[in-house]
C-alpha cells in the first residue's frame, strides 16, 4: 500500500520527518485518503507549486482555514490577495519593524529576562518565549491589553481548527469561541484607531489607501491569521534557537560575538524547525507529473518542512548547521506573492530576544532534551532550563 494512503494528522504529529523522508524517496506526489489531499514533499516540487498559482490556487473551497478564521489573505490570489495584503503590510515592512518595534522588543525581552533570572530553573517556553512572542504580536496588531494566556488559547484553538481533518465538533466549538472573541476585541480596537490612528496593523487596515476599504469582519479575519501563525512561529523558533545554542557552546559564543552569525542561526532555525510546516493549495486545472494526474478541484499540501529537509537540496539536512551555503533558499516563509508578511517581525523578535536572554543569564543550559511536536505547526511544547554549572547534550529531532 502507498505510504501516504492512510496517513492522518495523528500519524504526523509526534515526528513527521521519517514519513516525509519516505515520501520524498518513493512518492513525491502522494495521495492521502486520511487527509483527503495530495502531499508534495520534495524541495523542487514545493517551489514549483508555490510559483504557479495558475495551476495551484491558494483558495481552497470549504477549507479548514476559512471555516476556522474566515477568508484570510494567504488563502486568496490575484486582486483579492493584493487588496488584503496592501492594507496590512505597512507596519510589518523591514524598515518599519526596526524603527517602530525593535526598541520595544528589546525592552520587553529585558523585563522577562530579569524575571527568569530569579529562578534557578524555568520553562523557556512558558516563562519567556511564549509571553515575549504573544505581547510582541498583540502590541504590533493593536490589541495591547490582551493577556498572554488569552493569546495562547486563541492560537491553540485556531491551530486545532486548521488541523481538524477528522471534523471533531469539540475542536470547531473551541475555534468558534476564539473567532467570536477576537472579532469583539478587534471591533473595539477599530473604534479606537478610527479617531486616533497609530502604528499598529489594525490602524493600517482601517486607514489603508485602497479603493475598497476593508470591512470590520475582514480586519478581524486577518488578525485571527496573525494570532494563528504570527504567534507560534516566533515562539517556536525562539525556544528552539536558544535550545540549540545552549547545546553548542562554541556556536553560542560565535553568535553572541557576531550579528551575521546570529542572523544565520535564525535562518537555520527556520529551516531545521520550519514552524509552519505546510501550505494548502487547490488544483485550478488538471495537472500531470510523471505517472500521476491531479484533477481540478483536488486539494494539496505543499510540505515546506519536508522540502527544508530534502537531501537533494540540503546536505546532511537533519543537522543544525549555520554555515550551509544554500541556507537562504529555505522555504519557511514561503515564496512569491505569498511570502510571509510577518517574516521581518519574527526575525526581529529573535534578533532582539536571543542576545538579551543569553547575556542576562550566563551559564544557561537545557536541563533535559525537549520534545518537538506538531506538523502543520511544529515546535517544543516546553524547554526546561537551569542556571549554573553542567549541561545536558541533546540530539536533533
Amino acid at each position: 500500500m502507498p505510504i501516504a494512503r492512510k496517513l492522518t494528522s495523528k500519524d504526523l504529529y509526534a515526528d513527521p520527518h521519517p514519513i516525509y523522508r519516505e515520501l520524498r524517496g518513493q512518492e513525491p506526489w502522494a495521495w492521502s485518503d486520511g487527509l483527503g489531499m495530495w502531499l508534495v514533499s520534495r524541495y523542487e516540487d514545493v517551489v514549483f507549486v508555490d510559483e504557479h498559482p495558475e495551476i495551484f490556487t491558494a483558495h481552497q473551497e470549504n477549507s479548514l482555514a476559512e471555516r476556522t478564521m474566515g477568508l484570510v489573505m494567504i488563502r486568496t490570489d490575484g486582486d483579492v490577495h493584493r487588496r488584503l495584503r496592501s492594507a496590512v503590510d505597512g507596519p510589518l515592512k523591514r524598515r518599519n519593524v526596526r524603527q517602530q518595534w525593535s526598541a520595544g522588543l528589546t525592552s520587553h525581552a529585558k523585563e522577562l529576562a530579569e524575571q527568569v533570572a530569579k529562578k534557578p530553573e524555568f520553562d523557556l517556553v512558558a516563562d519567556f518565549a511564549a509571553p515575549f512572542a504573544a505581547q510582541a504580536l498583540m502590541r504590533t496588531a493593536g490589541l495591547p491589553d490582551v493577556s498572554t494566556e488569552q493569546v495562547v488559547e486563541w492560537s491553540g484553538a485556531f491551530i486545532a481548527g486548521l488541523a481538524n481533518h477528522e471534523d471533531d465538533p469539540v475542536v470547531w466549538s473551541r475555534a468558534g469561541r476564539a473567532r467570536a472573541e477576537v472579532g469583539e476585541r478587534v471591533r473595539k480596537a477599530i473604534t479606537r484607531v478610527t479617531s486616533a490612528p497609530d502604528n499598529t496593523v489594525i490602524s493600517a487596515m482601517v486607514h489603508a489607501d485602497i479603493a475598497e476599504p476593508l470591512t470590520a469582519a475582514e480586519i478581524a479575519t486577518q488578525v485571527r491569521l496573525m494570532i494563528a501563525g504570527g504567534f507560534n512561529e516566533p515562539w517556536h523558533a525562539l525556544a528552539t534557537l536558544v535550545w540549540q545554542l545552549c547545546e553548542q557552546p562554541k556556536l553560542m559564543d560565535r553568535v553572541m560575538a557576531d550579528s551575521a552569525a546570529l542572523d544565520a542561526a535564525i535562518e537555520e532555525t527556520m529551516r531545521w524547525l520550519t514552524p509552519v510546516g505546510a501550505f494548502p493549495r487547490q488544483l485550478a486545472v488538471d495537472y500531470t507529473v510523471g505517472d500521476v494526474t491531479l484533477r481540478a478541484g483536488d486539494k494539496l499540501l505543499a510540505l515546506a518542512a519536508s522540502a527544508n529537509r530534502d537531501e537533494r537540496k540540503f546536505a546532511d539536512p537533519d543537522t543544525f548547521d549555520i554555515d550551509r551555503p544554500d541556507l537562504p533558499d529555505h522555504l519557511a516563509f514561503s515564496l512569491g506573492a505569498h511570502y510571509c508578511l510577518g517574516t521581518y517581525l519574527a526575525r526581529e523578535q529573535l534578533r532582539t530576544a536571543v542576545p538579551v536572554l543569553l547575556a542576562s543569564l550566563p551559564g544557561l543550559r537545557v536541563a533535559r532534551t525537549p520534545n518537538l511536536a506538531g506538523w502543520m505547526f511544529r515546535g517544543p511544547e516546553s524547554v526546561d532550563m537551569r542556571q549554573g554549572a553542567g549541561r545536558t547534550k541533546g540530539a536533533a529531532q
Side-chain angles (χ1 to χ4, degrees), residues 51-128:
E51 291 183 339
H52 290 81
E54 73 281 4
I55 303 173
F56 311 97
T57 177
H59 183 246
Q60 283 190 340
E61 296 175 3
N62 302 313
S63 71
L64 295 177
E66 191 165 348
R67 186 171 178 181
T68 300
M69 297 178 292
L71 184 58
V72 294
M73 73 177 72
I74 60 172
R75 296 293 172 263
T76 62
D77 288 309
D79 291 341
V80 175
H81 179 260
R82 283 187 287 272
R83 170 176 168 266
L84 292 171
R85 190 176 179 103
S86 66
V88 175
D89 70 349
L92 299 175
K93 291 180 177 178
R94 187 201 304 265
R95 180 178 63 182
N96 291 339
V97 167
R98 293 280 176 89
Q99 292 179 348
Q100 297 171 8
W101 307 113
S102 186
L105 292 173
T106 300
S107 177
H108 188 217
K110 289 180 178 178
E111 292 174 5
L112 290 171
E114 289 176 2
Q115 295 174 20
V116 298
K118 302 173 185 177
K119 303 178 179 182
E121 299 184 3
F122 65 94
D123 179 357
L124 178 61
V125 172
D127 295 327
F128 189 87

XYZ file of all heavy atoms in Angstrom, residues 51-128:
625
model
N 5.161 28.696 -7.021
C 5.413 29.671 -8.077
C 4.415 29.591 -9.231
O 4.533 30.351 -10.190
C 6.842 29.493 -8.612
C 7.908 29.894 -7.586
C 9.319 29.788 -8.132
O 9.506 29.036 -9.130
O 10.217 30.444 -7.590
N 3.418 28.692 -9.143
C 2.458 28.541 -10.242
C 1.023 28.576 -9.713
O 0.312 27.563 -9.719
C 2.726 27.242 -11.011
C 3.992 27.283 -11.806
N 5.234 27.052 -11.242
C 4.220 27.569 -13.118
C 6.159 27.176 -12.180
N 5.575 27.485 -13.319
N 0.579 29.772 -9.292
C -0.791 29.892 -8.772
C -1.861 29.653 -9.828
O -3.014 29.397 -9.476
C -0.840 31.335 -8.242
C 0.213 32.063 -9.019
C 1.310 31.060 -9.231
N -1.489 29.726 -11.101
C -2.471 29.450 -12.149
C -2.840 27.960 -12.179
O -3.890 27.590 -12.707
C -1.943 29.904 -13.516
C -0.856 29.042 -14.126
C 0.540 29.274 -13.543
O 0.653 30.063 -12.596
O 1.498 28.672 -14.059
N -1.977 27.127 -11.612
C -2.246 25.689 -11.505
C -2.702 25.330 -10.101
O -3.686 24.606 -9.913
C -0.991 24.867 -11.858
C -0.478 25.194 -13.260
C -1.287 23.363 -11.744
C 0.861 24.532 -13.587
N -2.007 25.881 -9.111
C -2.264 25.552 -7.710
C -2.733 26.820 -6.992
O -1.917 27.620 -6.518
C -0.991 25.008 -7.050
C -0.312 23.919 -7.838
C 0.753 24.211 -8.677
C -0.744 22.599 -7.748
C 1.386 23.216 -9.407
C -0.127 21.592 -8.479
C 0.935 21.905 -9.317
N -4.020 27.013 -6.942
C -4.555 28.229 -6.350
C -4.518 28.163 -4.831
O -4.677 27.091 -4.230
C -5.999 28.478 -6.816
O -6.524 29.635 -6.163
C -6.901 27.291 -6.516
N -4.314 29.324 -4.193
C -4.258 29.377 -2.732
C -5.629 29.225 -2.093
O -5.731 28.865 -0.919
C -3.635 30.701 -2.279
N -6.689 29.481 -2.860
C -8.031 29.394 -2.280
C -8.568 27.972 -2.385
O -8.765 27.450 -3.479
C -8.998 30.347 -2.965
C -10.368 30.322 -2.348
N -11.476 29.867 -3.016
C -10.789 30.657 -1.107
C -12.532 29.941 -2.222
N -12.138 30.412 -1.063
N -8.766 27.358 -1.242
C -9.378 26.038 -1.194
C -10.857 26.172 -0.851
O -11.220 26.865 0.107
C -8.717 25.176 -0.116
C -7.370 24.613 -0.476
C -6.917 23.581 0.556
O -7.390 23.546 1.672
N -5.998 22.727 0.152
N -11.706 25.518 -1.623
C -13.132 25.520 -1.312
C -13.377 24.739 -0.018
O -12.795 23.676 0.205
C -13.913 24.876 -2.459
C -13.807 25.647 -3.770
C -14.484 24.919 -4.917
O -15.073 23.842 -4.665
O -14.416 25.411 -6.049
N -14.232 25.308 0.848
C -14.565 24.667 2.127
C -13.312 24.297 2.918
O -13.211 23.221 3.503
C -15.406 23.396 1.885
C -16.684 23.683 1.123
O -17.405 24.625 1.443
N -16.947 22.887 0.096
N -12.351 25.215 2.940
C -11.078 24.927 3.585
C -11.204 24.981 5.103
O -12.067 25.668 5.661
C -10.015 25.934 3.141
O -10.273 27.209 3.701
N -10.314 24.271 5.779
C -10.263 24.323 7.227
C -9.913 25.728 7.703
O -10.422 26.196 8.723
C -9.233 23.322 7.753
C -9.525 21.844 7.503
C -8.374 20.981 8.011
C -10.832 21.427 8.157
N -9.045 26.418 6.953
C -8.652 27.778 7.342
C -9.838 28.725 7.313
O -10.047 29.518 8.239
C -7.552 28.284 6.418
N -10.639 28.655 6.239
C -11.784 29.563 6.130
C -12.839 29.234 7.178
O -13.453 30.124 7.765
C -12.379 29.482 4.733
C -13.401 30.577 4.444
C -13.703 30.711 2.964
O -12.963 30.126 2.136
O -14.687 31.406 2.638
N -13.032 27.960 7.438
C -14.004 27.569 8.460
C -13.531 28.002 9.848
O -14.356 28.357 10.703
C -14.204 26.055 8.427
C -15.298 25.566 9.366
C -15.617 24.096 9.134
N -16.624 23.615 10.074
C -17.077 22.368 10.107
N -16.634 21.490 9.211
N -17.984 22.003 10.988
N -12.241 28.000 10.065
C -11.694 28.342 11.375
C -11.650 29.846 11.602
O -12.047 30.338 12.669
C -10.271 27.765 11.526
O -10.332 26.341 11.395
C -9.670 28.125 12.878
N -11.162 30.596 10.614
C -10.861 32.017 10.840
C -11.611 32.978 9.936
O -11.711 34.162 10.239
C -9.357 32.239 10.651
C -8.492 31.489 11.650
S -6.712 31.732 11.376
C -6.469 30.872 9.806
N -12.108 32.500 8.802
C -12.658 33.388 7.792
C -11.738 33.381 6.579
O -10.761 32.624 6.520
N -11.999 34.232 5.599
C -11.202 34.263 4.374
C -9.921 35.063 4.619
O -9.884 36.281 4.430
C -11.994 34.864 3.216
C -11.290 34.850 1.855
C -10.931 33.429 1.447
C -12.164 35.506 0.795
N -8.874 34.374 5.028
C -7.594 35.018 5.306
C -6.828 35.228 4.010
O -7.004 34.507 3.037
C -6.761 34.177 6.295
C -7.440 34.135 7.655
C -6.568 32.754 5.769
N -5.940 36.219 4.028
C -5.284 36.620 2.781
C -4.444 35.508 2.175
O -4.306 35.424 0.948
C -4.432 37.867 3.015
C -3.157 37.625 3.786
S -2.183 39.124 3.942
C -3.180 40.020 5.125
N -3.848 34.626 3.015
C -2.993 33.589 2.455
C -3.786 32.507 1.727
O -3.198 31.631 1.105
C -2.108 32.939 3.536
C -2.956 32.290 4.627
C -1.145 33.955 4.119
C -2.144 31.478 5.611
N -5.102 32.597 1.775
C -5.944 31.660 1.028
C -6.634 32.370 -0.140
O -7.703 31.981 -0.578
C -6.986 31.026 1.954
C -6.377 30.186 3.053
C -5.692 28.945 2.502
N -4.948 28.246 3.555
C -3.645 28.394 3.775
N -2.937 29.203 2.995
N -3.040 27.755 4.739
N -6.008 33.433 -0.634
C -6.531 34.155 -1.788
C -5.410 34.374 -2.796
O -4.226 34.264 -2.473
C -7.108 35.522 -1.376
O -6.057 36.329 -0.808
C -8.225 35.369 -0.357
N -5.790 34.717 -4.017
C -4.829 35.014 -5.078
C -5.253 36.298 -5.791
O -6.343 36.839 -5.559
C -4.778 33.873 -6.102
C -4.087 32.624 -5.576
O -2.960 32.743 -5.063
O -4.688 31.533 -5.665
N -4.385 36.770 -6.672
C -4.726 37.863 -7.577
C -5.128 39.142 -6.885
O -4.558 39.552 -5.868
N -6.158 39.805 -7.439
C -6.580 41.113 -6.936
C -7.107 41.034 -5.499
O -6.910 41.966 -4.713
C -7.669 41.696 -7.842
C -7.139 42.096 -9.213
O -5.899 42.265 -9.338
O -7.950 42.223 -10.147
N -7.776 39.951 -5.165
C -8.290 39.802 -3.800
C -7.130 39.765 -2.815
O -7.144 40.448 -1.775
C -9.146 38.517 -3.676
C -9.568 38.305 -2.226
C -10.361 38.600 -4.585
N -6.107 39.017 -3.152
C -4.931 38.922 -2.288
C -4.207 40.254 -2.198
O -3.802 40.695 -1.099
C -3.997 37.840 -2.826
C -2.743 37.678 -2.026
N -1.543 38.227 -2.402
C -2.510 37.034 -0.845
C -0.614 37.921 -1.505
N -1.175 37.198 -0.556
N -4.022 40.927 -3.317
C -3.307 42.202 -3.321
C -4.031 43.239 -2.484
O -3.395 44.033 -1.779
C -3.112 42.690 -4.757
C -1.989 41.960 -5.507
C -1.719 42.598 -6.853
N -2.782 42.295 -7.796
C -2.800 41.208 -8.569
N -1.830 40.308 -8.484
N -3.783 41.003 -9.422
N -5.359 43.267 -2.546
C -6.124 44.237 -1.760
C -5.909 44.011 -0.262
O -5.633 44.957 0.488
C -7.613 44.115 -2.099
C -8.533 44.917 -1.173
C -9.976 44.827 -1.630
N -10.890 45.343 -0.624
C -11.499 44.599 0.297
N -11.288 43.278 0.328
N -12.300 45.144 1.179
N -6.017 42.777 0.178
C -5.856 42.487 1.600
C -4.413 42.730 2.050
O -4.171 43.347 3.095
C -6.253 41.033 1.877
C -7.731 40.688 1.704
C -7.942 39.179 1.804
C -8.585 41.412 2.740
N -3.474 42.283 1.258
C -2.070 42.403 1.656
C -1.625 43.858 1.711
O -0.900 44.263 2.637
C -1.187 41.609 0.692
C 0.258 41.484 1.160
C 1.054 40.613 0.213
N 2.453 40.507 0.630
C 2.984 39.454 1.229
N 2.259 38.393 1.479
N 4.270 39.449 1.582
N -2.036 44.653 0.755
C -1.624 46.057 0.727
C -2.165 46.829 1.924
O -1.554 47.811 2.365
C -2.094 46.722 -0.574
O -3.517 46.785 -0.629
N -3.297 46.380 2.468
C -3.872 47.054 3.628
C -3.144 46.711 4.918
O -3.214 47.454 5.898
C -5.345 46.692 3.763
N -2.428 45.593 4.923
C -1.833 45.071 6.157
C -0.351 45.362 6.274
O 0.174 45.553 7.372
C -2.068 43.540 6.242
C -1.364 42.939 7.452
C -3.548 43.230 6.286
N 0.367 45.424 5.159
C 1.812 45.238 5.217
C 2.621 46.413 5.747
O 3.768 46.234 6.166
C 2.354 44.814 3.845
C 2.291 45.927 2.805
O 1.637 46.951 3.070
O 2.894 45.761 1.730
N 2.072 47.636 5.800
C 2.858 48.801 6.209
C 3.649 48.638 7.493
O 4.890 48.760 7.498
N 3.008 48.353 8.619
C 3.744 48.229 9.883
C 4.693 47.037 9.936
O 5.545 46.978 10.834
C 2.615 48.053 10.922
C 1.393 48.578 10.270
C 1.555 48.264 8.810
N 4.558 46.086 8.993
C 5.346 44.864 9.033
C 6.518 44.868 8.056
O 7.237 43.875 7.952
C 4.442 43.656 8.755
C 3.302 43.466 9.766
C 2.403 42.314 9.330
C 3.848 43.216 11.166
N 6.724 45.981 7.344
C 7.878 46.074 6.466
C 9.152 46.144 7.292
O 9.153 46.599 8.432
C 7.761 47.295 5.559
C 6.645 47.163 4.513
C 6.570 48.394 3.630
C 5.497 48.217 2.545
N 5.363 49.420 1.693
N 10.257 45.695 6.699
C 11.515 45.594 7.437
C 11.892 46.908 8.134
O 12.205 46.934 9.336
C 12.641 45.179 6.494
C 13.972 44.892 7.225
C 15.153 44.985 6.250
N 15.006 44.105 5.127
C 15.523 42.875 5.053
N 16.198 42.390 6.072
N 15.355 42.155 3.959
N 11.875 48.005 7.400
C 12.292 49.287 7.977
C 11.373 49.696 9.118
O 11.830 50.174 10.170
C 12.284 50.379 6.895
C 12.708 51.753 7.408
C 12.722 52.772 6.290
N 11.375 52.946 5.738
C 11.106 53.755 4.708
N 12.088 54.405 4.100
N 9.869 53.873 4.264
N 10.062 49.512 8.945
C 9.122 49.905 9.982
C 9.245 49.038 11.229
O 9.083 49.523 12.355
C 7.689 49.861 9.443
C 7.430 50.947 8.416
O 8.148 51.941 8.374
N 6.420 50.758 7.590
N 9.510 47.753 11.028
C 9.716 46.877 12.182
C 10.910 47.360 12.996
O 10.848 47.456 14.233
C 9.917 45.417 11.724
C 10.451 44.560 12.881
C 8.603 44.838 11.215
N 12.011 47.682 12.312
C 13.208 48.152 13.016
C 12.937 49.487 13.712
O 13.321 49.692 14.870
C 14.363 48.298 12.028
C 14.865 46.982 11.451
C 15.786 46.274 12.436
N 16.196 44.962 11.950
C 17.260 44.741 11.191
N 18.030 45.755 10.797
N 17.582 43.506 10.824
N 12.286 50.412 13.030
C 12.099 51.751 13.579
C 11.033 51.812 14.658
O 11.179 52.520 15.660
C 11.755 52.728 12.450
C 12.895 52.975 11.466
C 12.495 53.924 10.341
O 11.316 54.237 10.145
N 13.478 54.395 9.593
N 9.939 51.074 14.469
C 8.791 51.219 15.350
C 8.737 50.202 16.479
O 8.171 50.482 17.535
C 7.508 51.136 14.522
C 7.354 52.251 13.508
C 6.187 52.028 12.551
O 5.387 51.114 12.734
N 6.109 52.845 11.518
N 9.289 49.010 16.249
C 9.054 47.929 17.203
C 10.303 47.365 17.860
O 10.212 46.746 18.926
C 8.298 46.780 16.502
C 7.052 47.235 15.820
C 6.819 47.253 14.480
C 5.869 47.767 16.431
N 5.563 47.756 14.213
C 4.957 48.077 15.398
C 5.492 48.008 17.753
C 3.699 48.610 15.643
C 4.239 48.544 17.998
C 3.358 48.838 16.947
N 11.488 47.565 17.285
C 12.687 46.912 17.782
C 13.031 47.328 19.213
O 13.359 46.478 20.059
C 13.877 47.205 16.856
O 15.003 46.461 17.249
N 12.975 48.607 19.505
C 13.322 49.071 20.854
C 12.377 48.475 21.891
O 12.798 48.075 22.982
C 13.288 50.597 20.906
N 11.095 48.418 21.566
C 10.133 47.839 22.491
C 10.361 46.352 22.690
O 10.186 45.829 23.802
N 10.755 45.648 21.625
C 11.061 44.225 21.747
C 12.243 44.004 22.691
O 12.220 43.120 23.553
C 11.373 43.634 20.372
C 10.219 43.557 19.374
C 10.731 43.117 18.006
C 9.140 42.605 19.864
N 13.270 44.821 22.530
C 14.435 44.698 23.400
C 14.075 44.964 24.851
O 14.489 44.228 25.761
C 15.537 45.668 22.949
O 15.921 45.366 21.607
C 16.758 45.567 23.849
N 13.287 46.003 25.077
C 12.875 46.352 26.444
C 12.071 45.225 27.086
O 12.290 44.860 28.250
C 12.053 47.638 26.417
O 11.579 47.966 27.707
N 11.130 44.644 26.325
C 10.312 43.568 26.866
C 11.157 42.326 27.129
O 10.962 41.623 28.137
C 9.180 43.237 25.896
C 8.175 42.283 26.455
N 7.566 41.319 25.692
C 7.678 42.127 27.709
C 6.737 40.619 26.442
N 6.787 41.085 27.667
N 12.115 42.027 26.255
C 12.999 40.883 26.475
C 13.787 41.059 27.764
O 13.987 40.098 28.527
C 13.939 40.711 25.286
N 14.242 42.277 28.035
C 14.995 42.537 29.267
C 14.115 42.339 30.497
O 14.567 41.782 31.515
C 15.566 43.950 29.242
C 16.700 44.135 28.240
C 17.224 45.564 28.251
C 18.394 45.735 27.284
N 18.890 47.130 27.251
N 12.861 42.774 30.425
C 11.947 42.600 31.556
C 11.739 41.110 31.860
O 11.789 40.684 33.018
C 10.602 43.250 31.239
C 10.631 44.768 31.148
C 9.303 45.336 30.685
O 8.335 44.542 30.528
O 9.222 46.553 30.458
N 11.496 40.329 30.818
C 11.281 38.899 31.014
C 12.559 38.206 31.493
O 12.516 37.305 32.341
C 10.791 38.261 29.718
C 9.375 38.638 29.282
C 9.100 38.114 27.875
C 8.343 38.086 30.253
N 13.703 38.624 30.960
C 14.966 38.018 31.375
C 15.240 38.298 32.852
O 15.752 37.429 33.576
C 16.114 38.544 30.516
N 14.898 39.491 33.314
C 15.068 39.814 34.731
C 14.193 38.915 35.607
O 14.603 38.496 36.697
C 14.713 41.287 34.977
C 15.730 42.270 34.419
C 15.290 43.715 34.592
O 14.201 43.927 35.184
O 16.026 44.622 34.152
N 13.019 38.608 35.130
C 12.117 37.748 35.908
C 12.638 36.320 35.974
O 12.663 35.708 37.050
C 10.720 37.777 35.289
C 10.032 39.131 35.361
C 8.714 39.160 34.598
O 8.120 38.126 34.312
N 8.257 40.351 34.250
N 13.068 35.761 34.844
C 13.529 34.369 34.867
C 14.894 34.243 35.534
O 15.250 33.162 36.015
C 13.554 33.751 33.444
C 12.168 33.726 32.844
C 14.531 34.483 32.540
N 15.656 35.336 35.581
C 16.964 35.287 36.235
C 16.833 34.974 37.722
O 17.791 34.502 38.351
C 17.697 36.607 36.040
N 15.663 35.209 38.286
C 15.425 34.947 39.702
C 15.121 33.477 39.970
O 15.015 33.059 41.125
C 14.260 35.804 40.197
C 14.473 37.307 40.019
C 13.210 38.090 40.361
C 13.385 39.576 40.080
N 12.125 40.330 40.350
N 14.954 32.697 38.908
C 14.572 31.295 39.059
C 15.745 30.385 38.705
O 16.257 30.451 37.584
C 13.395 30.959 38.131
C 12.160 31.831 38.336
C 11.072 31.446 37.331
C 9.823 32.281 37.523
N 8.739 31.889 36.572
N 16.174 29.513 39.607
C 17.231 28.561 39.259
C 16.839 27.652 38.097
O 17.675 27.252 37.301
C 17.425 27.755 40.542
C 16.875 28.616 41.625
C 15.740 29.382 41.013
N 15.541 27.328 38.029
C 15.011 26.532 36.932
C 13.759 27.209 36.379
O 12.987 27.795 37.141
C 14.675 25.116 37.394
C 15.875 24.338 37.923
C 15.517 22.903 38.274
O 14.347 22.511 38.056
O 16.404 22.179 38.749
N 13.560 27.130 35.084
C 12.365 27.718 34.478
C 12.086 27.043 33.149
O 12.936 26.340 32.594
C 12.514 29.233 34.299
C 13.591 29.654 33.317
C 13.288 29.898 31.985
C 14.911 29.812 33.738
C 14.269 30.297 31.086
C 15.902 30.197 32.842
C 15.584 30.444 31.518
N 10.877 27.260 32.652
C 10.474 26.735 31.349
C 10.676 27.845 30.317
O 10.010 28.889 30.382
C 9.008 26.282 31.393
C 8.511 25.744 30.062
O 9.257 25.764 29.068
O 7.343 25.308 29.997
N 11.572 27.627 29.398
C 11.879 28.633 28.387
C 10.648 29.047 27.597
O 10.502 30.221 27.223
C 12.952 28.090 27.436
C 13.382 28.974 26.272
C 13.970 30.282 26.760
C 14.378 28.214 25.387
N 9.742 28.109 27.349
C 8.533 28.427 26.582
C 7.560 29.249 27.407
O 7.191 30.367 27.044
C 7.866 27.133 26.073
C 6.503 27.446 25.453
C 8.750 26.445 25.050
N 7.123 28.710 28.539
C 6.078 29.350 29.332
C 6.546 30.650 29.974
O 5.760 31.600 30.111
C 5.577 28.393 30.407
N 7.826 30.710 30.382
C 8.314 31.855 31.133
C 8.960 32.935 30.280
O 9.143 34.067 30.751
C 9.323 31.397 32.198
C 8.689 30.522 33.264
O 7.514 30.747 33.580
O 9.370 29.609 33.757
N 9.320 32.599 29.045
C 9.999 33.611 28.224
C 9.478 33.671 26.791
O 8.946 34.693 26.360
C 11.515 33.358 28.219
C 12.293 34.471 27.572
C 12.697 35.570 28.310
C 12.616 34.432 26.214
C 13.406 36.614 27.712
C 13.310 35.460 25.602
C 13.716 36.559 26.359
